[in-house]
Amino acid sequence: MTGALLKTKLYIPRPRLAFVPRPRLVERLNAGLEHKLILLSAPAGFGKTTLLSEWVHSCGLRAAWLSLEEADSDPARFLAYLIAALRTIEPALGEAALAMLQMPQSAPVEPLLTTLINDLTEFPDHFALILDDYHVIGAEVVHRAVSFLLDHLPPQMHLVIASRADPPLPLARLRGHGHLVELRQADLRFTPTEAAAFLNQVMGLALTPGEVALLAAHTEGWIAGLQMAAVSLQGRTDRAEFVQAFPEGNPYILDYLIEEVLQRQPRNLQTFLIQTAILDRLSGPLCDVVTGAAVWGEDGGTTDPSPGILPLRSQEILEHLERSNLFIVPLDEEHHWYRYHRLFANLLCHRLQQEQSEMIPELHRRASAWYEQNGMTASAIDHAVVSADFERAARLIEQVAGPTLMRAEFDTFLHWLDALPDGAVRARPLLSAYHALVSLLICRPLHDVEARLEVVGEGDATGLAAGIVALVRAVLATLQGDISKSIELSHRAWELLAEGNVFFKGLVARNLGSAYALTGDIAAAIRTYDEAVRIGQEAGDLTGIVASLHQLAGLYLFRGQLHEARGLYQRALDFAVDSTGRPLPIAGRVLLGLGELLRQWDDLDGAARCVQRGIGLVQEWVESSGIGGYLTLAWIRQAQGDALGADQAIQVARRLARQFDATGLDDLFVAAHQVRLWVAQRNLEAAARWVADRGFDRGRRTGRLEGGAGSDTLPYSIREIECTALARVYIAQDRPDEALALLMPLLQVAEGKGRFGSMIEILSLQALAFQTEGDLAHALTALTRALALAEPEGFVRVFVDHGPPMARLLYEAATRGIAPEYAGRLLAAFPGSESVTTAATLPLEMVEPLTRRESEVLQLIAEGLSNREIARKLVLSPGTVKVHTRAIYGKLGVNSRTQAVARARSLGIL
């Protein structure tokens, strides 16, 4: 939220001392407490706010009130005020959601609301949340937020909305399920009895029943019309004539009554009303400045002693208007702040435009100056824009841009910039630099980011502007795979950013770490992310700390240090919680990484829970952050035998990658995973098309990606995943020599860069390639190295995802005493083993190799021969066959012929 929250927006209006009770409507509202939503939908002037004020103060229900305005269409601002309103009931409410909202980067709406709703569910009392003037909200994301709140409303909470038009919420569904109570224009009209009570008791007019009936009929029970008529009638001697001449129909009444109401006020009060109509809220000091001291006199008197002038200061004027029932509403208990009735304010603005249009810019300039001096920068900007004082507006926007962006009020910032002429933005390089950064943070199309950078101009930016431009260009270079340029620009940004710009320096450090990681230089990336963690702690940047720890954990995965990575993920999750222990949105990225780690340990259920929870947290934040999660989910589904689910997950990843056009690296990354999945599913035709499309079908003899446009310039990590995907295709196509030629240089580079996790995968592929070539000795040599690297950290899926060919190799390794216990655990994880036994109960000695004779017996069992038939075929006694069969059962951990065959096939023995 930009600046302090306006407490006046949270004030529940008090009923006037003299008002018309409306028990029939209050009863309708009380009955509405049995439902989720109470909707008051009627045009301006039908008493919606007044009725709700009467109801709240009479029913004894605890209530939170939020008076909305157009600026609240910014989702971050709306949520800030929503939480603030609820905290008027209980200051501890929404603490966790507020912490999420105050993070330096954008928080997704649904996870934040989920946290808030969970908090509200624990509140013991029934209460109402009232959203007044909801019609001013124009943002779909806010409507979705309110719909989400309605769908998950705690049973003790009731939502009340007052609006001039039906809000775009699921009203039909709520109505159909009996969750909606509606009060509309016909319900809110004054009845003849209520009209009489208002005109004669409240306004003290002593009209005859016939005069009351005529006014009520001509206004059609429209409360604002009756009020204007009553004000006009006060002090008149020609009441009967006025009533008889009263026009019929709202449009005519408006024109007629504004004349009557204004003309009957003293001249300086008319001036006050018209000139202060530009203000959304009124206070004495503000109105003094806007109207000017010349109107009232420096000493509180007047410079014009003519009759009909009130010698009052603005605060006295406001109090006089309230006492006179002149369409003014107090906004606080102290009566320091007021607002005009919306309809009255619109009429006054129309009169201002007619009579003093030349004064309008000056009035807004005065308001802007007062707001700036009193620290209300957002309102100062709004008035500066309306007054066309674009220099002031640009200066103010520049002053608050940094804090505004760090609070993720992107809509507010972009709304301000859109209101400025292009020249005003171009004249301030820092504004354009911020604009470019926002466009990048919200994943706008690349041409939007570039357009903002071009406005800055390379030679014009200095200081912070130059540092932000260098940062944005560095991130773009990383996304586009130009790593040397990214590193150069990151160092430049670091030098340009002053010591006080710790938040932006944290962004630079994280980008530099990503650049090093893409080159495959794990050690340099780890050092850089360690520094980013330190910077985040110095800046109090929770998002930066968690993001850096998340990246560090991923780097340790590449190093093959799964337990170290697990510790870093846990440390990140410890940071990524609110005061009640609930996860913040940034925790979503951590959960995606942890899901991949658990998948590697073959905890498929735990991995799926982590990934699905993580996707839920990141999907409304930066949707493209979910790409890796959907890839992990695809492999989880594949491992669970759900090929359709795997395909669906990877298609979502492809869609997200295509949408984010600032980089093509994510498209290549997802495509490589798709190819690996096709190979696992034996869809070799699709895999071959990828090889041809990437230009790899011209042959491959080294670890360099010689085919495909620009492939030699790809970052190392992308080249590595494409090469390993290509090797899988070659092995599946029975082209082991080409796979081996590709894998050998990759292994050398991975070893040199300390990418031991990559080495395990490359060695396992080498083993499969040698096995395909018929070279079992070299296959077992490569597998031995892979097992030695993998066993201390408990890798599982890197082997098991290769399917039956790897199972056969592991079985061969176990028969030769190569890591027999570890091989046993891996063999237990292959598909089909869970139908026989589980990894938790399987004895490690289960992989004791079958003897040659036992293998022969098992093969004949698989062919369906009986013990007697096997005995005849192998020239053995039936008793000896039974002995061999029992030995086979024991080694495979099974209890029947069917289980033995299934188990042996899952292990690749048959």
Side-chain angles (χ1 to χ4, degrees):
M1 176 61 214
T2 303
L5 293 169
L6 291 166
K7 294 182 180 179
T8 54
K9 287 163 60 67
L10 314 178
Y11 175 72
I12 302 177
R14 289 198 171 276
R16 298 182 182 276
L17 293 178
F19 71 98
V20 178
R22 313 194 74 185
R24 62 186 178 87
L25 297 182
V26 169
E27 190 57 38
R28 290 273 302 277
L29 292 173
N30 287 335
L33 295 177
E34 300 297 323
H35 307 268
K36 281 189 173 185
L37 175 63
I38 300 173
L39 174 65
L40 283 71
S41 180
F46 274 89
K48 299 183 291 295
T49 301
T50 302
L51 173 62
L52 288 176
S53 170
E54 176 191 351
W55 173 61
V56 168
H57 286 96
S58 66
C59 72
L61 182 71
R62 303 182 73 172
W65 187 289
L66 174 55
S67 296
L68 295 165
E69 53 191 37
E70 288 185 11
D72 297 325
S73 289
D74 183 306
R77 179 186 172 100
F78 175 81
L79 291 170
Y81 271 113
L82 179 69
I83 295 169
L86 292 167
R87 287 164 73 86
T88 62
I89 298 177
E90 169 55 56
L93 276 176
E95 182 179 345
L98 185 61
M100 295 169 65
L101 189 64
Q102 292 173 341
M103 292 170 59
Q105 296 182 18
S106 174
V109 173
E110 286 195 8
L112 186 149
L113 284 175
T114 299
T115 300
L116 178 61
I117 291 166
N118 290 339
D119 199 5
L120 295 173
T121 301
E122 299 174 4
F123 188 68
D125 301 330
H126 278 262
F127 66 97
L129 170 63
I130 300 170
L131 302 179
D132 196 17
D133 287 332
Y134 191 84
H135 56 272
V136 301
I137 298 299
E140 179 60 29
V141 65
V142 174
H143 298 316
R144 288 201 305 269
V146 176
S147 297
F148 183 86
L149 179 61
L150 274 168
D151 287 342
H152 304 88
L153 207 66
Q156 75 275 31
M157 180 178 177
H158 312 279
L159 185 61
V160 184
I161 292 178
S163 176
R164 294 184 187 177
D166 282 4
L169 302 174
L171 299 181
R173 173 162 55 84
L174 291 167
R175 193 180 292 118
H177 290 150
H179 295 323
L180 174 64
V181 166
E182 303 168 81
L183 276 71
R184 298 189 170 274
Q185 182 173 329
D187 305 301
L188 294 170
R189 297 181 192 279
F190 266 178
T191 65
T193 301
E194 290 169 335
F198 173 73
L199 292 169
N200 290 334
Q201 297 173 23
V202 174
M203 301 302 292
L205 294 177
L207 298 179
T208 67
E211 290 169 339
V212 169
L214 187 60
L215 286 176
H218 281 202
T219 59
E220 299 177 342
W222 181 44
I223 301 167
L226 283 169
Q227 186 175 0
M228 287 192 188
V231 172
S232 299
L233 281 166
Q234 288 177 330
R236 298 186 75 109
T237 58
D238 58 343
R239 289 185 178 181
E241 292 83 355
F242 177 86
V243 171
Q244 290 297 325
F246 198 82
E248 208 170 342
N250 288 0
Y252 304 102
I253 293 173
L254 288 178
D255 294 338
Y256 182 79
L257 290 182
I258 192 66
E259 295 292 333
E260 290 292 329
V261 170
L262 282 178
Q263 291 303 321
R264 296 183 61 79
Q265 308 307 317
R267 286 201 310 273
N268 63 343
L269 185 53
Q270 291 184 42
T271 301
F272 180 92
L273 289 169
I274 291 171
Q275 291 186 351
T276 56
I278 67 164
L279 302 172
D280 290 332
R281 54 190 61 84
L282 311 146
S283 73
L286 172 59
C287 292
D288 280 341
V289 169
V290 170
T291 57
V295 176
W296 312 115
E298 294 292 349
D299 60 353
T302 174
T303 57
D304 183 352
S306 303
I309 298 219
L310 296 176
L312 302 171
R313 284 283 189 179
S314 295
Q315 183 61 34
E316 295 172 286
I317 292 287
L318 294 171
E319 292 169 0
H320 167 74
L321 293 174
E322 183 183 8
R323 288 193 301 270
S324 301
N325 229 343
L326 256 176
F327 306 100
I328 194 168
V329 179
L331 297 178
D332 57 19
E333 294 285 356
E334 296 78 17
H335 291 226
H336 292 161
W337 287 94
Y338 298 84
R339 70 168 174 84
Y340 291 128
H341 188 285
R342 308 297 186 197
L343 185 63
F344 190 54
N346 291 341
L347 296 172
L348 292 174
C349 284
H350 181 65
R351 174 59 70 88
L352 175 63
Q353 183 67 45
Q354 286 180 324
E355 296 183 358
Q356 301 182 35
S357 60
E358 75 285 351
M359 279 291 295
I360 293 175
E362 177 59 27
L363 296 174
H364 281 288
R365 276 194 291 271
R366 293 173 185 175
S368 179
W370 188 89
Y371 277 123
E372 181 183 1
Q373 291 169 4
N374 287 272
M376 302 180 189
T377 310
S379 294
I381 292 169
D382 291 336
H383 283 285
V385 168
V386 176
S387 70
D389 188 352
F390 299 123
E391 173 58 31
R392 174 195 288 273
R395 173 175 57 80
L396 293 172
I397 294 171
E398 193 172 275
Q399 287 177 6
V400 298
T404 301
L405 301 188
M406 283 186 276
R407 285 189 295 268
E409 293 182 35
F410 300 138
D411 288 352
T412 295
F413 178 76
L414 293 174
H415 172 74
W416 286 337
L417 287 191
D418 290 343
L420 298 180
D422 193 49
V425 179
R426 288 178 178 272
R428 291 181 173 271
L430 183 55
L431 274 186
S432 291
Y434 278 128
H435 200 171
L437 182 61
V438 171
S439 299
L440 186 61
L441 289 175
I442 64 176
C443 298
R444 278 192 167 183
L446 178 59
H447 64 78
D448 286 356
V449 182
E450 291 288 359
R452 293 298 98 202
L453 292 175
E454 289 172 7
V455 168
V456 180
E458 294 294 339
D460 297 333
T462 58
L464 180 57
I468 293 176
V469 168
L471 165 61
V472 173
R473 291 205 177 279
V475 174
L476 287 175
T478 301
L479 293 172
Q480 293 160 8
D482 192 344
I483 304 305
S484 60
K485 183 178 180 181
S486 174
I487 293 172
E488 175 190 346
L489 287 168
S490 293
H491 287 301
R492 181 182 172 192
W494 186 272
E495 294 169 359
L496 290 168
L497 292 168
E499 286 302 318
N501 302 128
V502 184
F503 173 76
F504 295 108
K505 284 199 165 188
L507 292 176
V508 173
R510 296 206 295 277
N511 178 69
L512 195 56
S514 297
Y516 286 136
L518 282 170
T519 68
D521 191 344
I522 302 299
I526 287 176
R527 289 194 301 271
T528 307
Y529 274 114
D530 280 333
E531 175 66 8
V533 172
R534 185 196 65 76
I535 293 171
Q537 291 173 327
E538 179 184 343
D541 177 9
L542 187 62
T543 298
I545 296 170
V546 176
S548 301
L549 289 171
H550 162 255
Q551 294 288 355
L552 274 172
L555 293 171
Y556 278 97
L557 281 178
F558 281 119
R559 291 182 70 168
Q561 296 174 259
L562 301 189
H563 292 94
E564 182 70 22
R566 180 67 177 85
L568 286 166
Y569 281 133
Q570 186 57 59
R571 185 179 167 197
L573 289 174
D574 291 342
F575 273 106
V577 294
D578 58 34
S579 59
T580 67
R582 298 189 183 101
L584 298 174
I586 186 62
R589 296 177 64 184
V590 183
L591 289 168
L592 297 183
L594 181 58
E596 172 57 24
L597 187 150
L598 294 178
R599 186 190 76 85
Q600 190 55 247
W601 276 339
D602 202 37
D603 180 0
L604 299 180
D605 291 338
R609 286 193 298 271
C610 273
V611 169
Q612 290 168 332
R613 192 178 179 197
I615 288 173
L617 285 170
V618 304
Q619 65 182 357
E620 286 191 24
W621 187 9
V622 180
E623 195 178 18
S624 59
S625 295
I627 291 174
Y630 281 106
L631 294 178
T632 297
L633 188 60
W635 284 107
I636 292 170
R637 296 294 180 243
Q638 179 67 20
Q640 293 172 331
D642 181 5
L644 178 59
D647 290 337
Q648 290 172 339
I650 209 162
Q651 288 308 313
V652 176
R654 292 184 70 174
R655 175 179 60 80
L656 294 177
R658 285 195 300 269
Q659 287 177 353
F660 187 35
D661 74 342
T663 178
L665 300 184
D666 54 355
D667 299 270
L668 297 176
F669 184 75
V670 172
H673 272 276
Q674 174 71 85
V675 172
R676 294 154 69 107
L677 190 62
W678 280 331
V679 171
Q681 296 173 344
R682 304 304 296 171
N683 188 353
L684 300 187
E685 183 178 349
R689 284 198 301 271
W690 171 79
V691 174
D693 291 342
R694 287 290 289 137
F696 300 149
D697 53 349
R698 292 193 294 272
R700 171 99 27 217
R701 291 294 181 270
T702 71
R704 290 171 57 80
L705 291 187
E706 295 145 348
S711 56
D712 286 337
T713 62
L714 288 175
Y716 173 79
S717 60
I718 301 298
R719 296 206 313 272
E720 181 184 82
I721 193 171
E722 284 201 329
C723 281
T724 53
L726 186 60
R728 290 170 187 254
V729 177
Y730 286 159
I731 294 169
Q733 292 176 334
D734 199 19
R735 298 160 66 183
D737 55 336
E738 294 177 70
L740 290 168
L742 186 65
L743 293 168
M744 184 55 71
L746 277 183
L747 181 61
Q748 294 170 349
V749 174
E751 190 167 10
K753 290 179 177 289
R755 298 170 67 88
F756 302 116
S758 297
M759 285 181 63
I760 295 169
E761 180 183 12
I762 295 167
L763 285 165
S764 68
L765 287 170
Q766 277 190 333
L768 291 173
F770 280 124
Q771 178 181 240
T772 302
E773 203 170 42
D775 187 347
L776 185 58
H778 281 96
L780 291 174
T781 299
L783 183 61
T784 300
R785 288 191 67 192
L787 293 172
L789 289 170
E791 184 173 9
E793 299 294 333
F795 281 86
V796 176
R797 297 310 308 185
V798 70
F799 298 104
V800 176
D801 285 342
H802 289 301
M806 178 58 69
R808 287 192 290 273
L809 261 183
L810 287 168
Y811 183 79
E812 290 292 341
T815 63
R816 289 162 172 76
I818 300 171
E821 292 187 1
Y822 184 38
R825 289 196 295 272
L826 294 176
L827 287 167
F830 277 85
S833 62
E834 64 273 8
S835 66
V836 180
T837 185
T838 66
T841 61
L842 189 66
L844 296 181
E845 62 272 15
M846 60 76 59
V847 294
E848 179 184 347
L850 301 180
T851 65
R852 180 180 60 80
R853 181 63 80 185
E854 288 166 352
S855 296
E856 291 173 343
V857 170
L858 178 60
Q859 183 63 48
L860 294 175
I861 289 174
E863 293 175 8
L865 275 64
S866 66
N867 282 355
R868 187 173 300 277
E869 290 170 330
I870 293 172
R872 281 200 303 268
K873 192 171 185 68
L874 297 180
V875 193
L876 297 172
S877 70
T880 302
V881 172
K882 287 184 179 180
V883 170
H884 287 314
T885 302
R886 284 196 297 271
I888 292 169
Y889 289 175
K891 291 179 179 181
L892 294 180
V894 300
N895 300 303
S896 70
R897 284 171 156 251
T898 302
Q899 290 180 348
V901 172
R903 179 68 173 142
R905 283 181 174 151
S906 72
L907 297 178
I909 298 172
L910 287 175

